[in-house]
Amino acid sequence: MGIVLTLSQFPVMLALAGNGQMSAFGLALLAALAIPVAIVSGAASWIGRRRRQDRYPP
């Protein structure tokens, strides 16, 4: 979910600033910022699933 929110800023950037040379740099920067967010989100959900399984075994 975090990667979607981070990369959704790109269309807004295009609408406000236009399609210029900095758009490619902006997209690369947004992708670089979205990767750690996706890793943290995945790790948090994995930890949550493990804790829930420990409390309520099948």
Side-chain angles (χ1 to χ4, degrees):
M1 183 64 145
I3 195 167
V4 172
L5 293 175
T6 305
L7 289 179
S8 67
Q9 295 175 13
F10 186 68
V12 175
M13 181 183 71
L14 282 179
L16 295 177
N19 192 5
Q21 293 178 349
M22 294 299 286
S23 295
F25 175 71
L27 181 60
L29 185 62
L30 287 174
L33 291 173
I35 290 171
V37 172
I39 291 171
V40 169
S41 176
S45 66
W46 180 74
I47 290 170
R49 281 194 311 265
R50 290 210 46 198
R51 287 186 155 204
R52 185 175 40 207
Q53 287 176 355
D54 290 343
R55 282 190 206 151
Y56 309 108

